Amino acid sequence: SSGINAEYGETTDDCQPMENWMFGCHCRSAFSKLSNKCKRKPCQAFRAFRDNGAAAINSLKNAESVQEATNVIVDSIVKPVGHALCQCPGLVDSSLSCVENYDGML
């Protein structure tokens, strides 16, 4: 059934929950308001974790010192997130809104 979601100004047909099971419709709406480059960041982050997460976790697990573990964390998380936030300052508000109102299925 089609209807209007007044809070977001979109029809309920605009976001199908089963097609947006990971991020949810609210997150999709929050990120869609960002610039073209920035609205892609959540999917890029997910792909980066999918492609590199296991290696980063193994590197962290195999770190032989606190310094080595810190380097893994900085290189794998801090630098990429910091770079994305500098490119897209609205990402923080969209991310917080997404977390506070999460309606995905994870």
Side-chain angles (χ1 to χ4, degrees):
S1 69
S2 179
I4 298 292
N5 183 339
E7 185 177 357
Y8 305 113
E10 60 184 26
T11 65
T12 54
D13 290 336
D14 288 342
C15 182
Q16 300 298 319
M18 290 307 291
E19 294 174 9
N20 293 281
W21 62 271
M22 183 177 300
F23 292 113
C25 291
H26 182 80
C27 291
R28 179 176 177 241
S29 175
F31 288 111
S32 72
K33 295 173 182 151
L34 298 173
S35 71
N36 281 336
K37 174 177 70 173
C38 295
K39 69 175 69 174
R40 295 185 190 118
K41 294 294 181 187
C43 290
Q44 290 170 349
F46 176 77
R47 279 192 299 275
F49 181 76
R50 180 196 66 201
D51 297 344
N52 306 313
I57 291 169
N58 281 332
S59 294
L60 189 59
K61 184 178 86 173
N62 295 327
E64 295 183 8
S65 68
V66 172
Q67 181 63 45
E68 194 175 331
T70 301
N71 288 344
V72 171
I73 292 168
V74 168
D75 291 343
S76 301
I77 299 170
V78 176
K79 285 182 182 178
V81 169
H83 184 69
L85 293 177
C86 286
Q87 288 181 325
C88 306
L91 209 51
V92 172
D93 288 337
S94 294
S95 297
L96 290 174
S97 176
C98 179
V99 169
E100 290 170 354
N101 301 293
Y102 182 71
D103 62 351
M105 296 181 185
L106 290 181

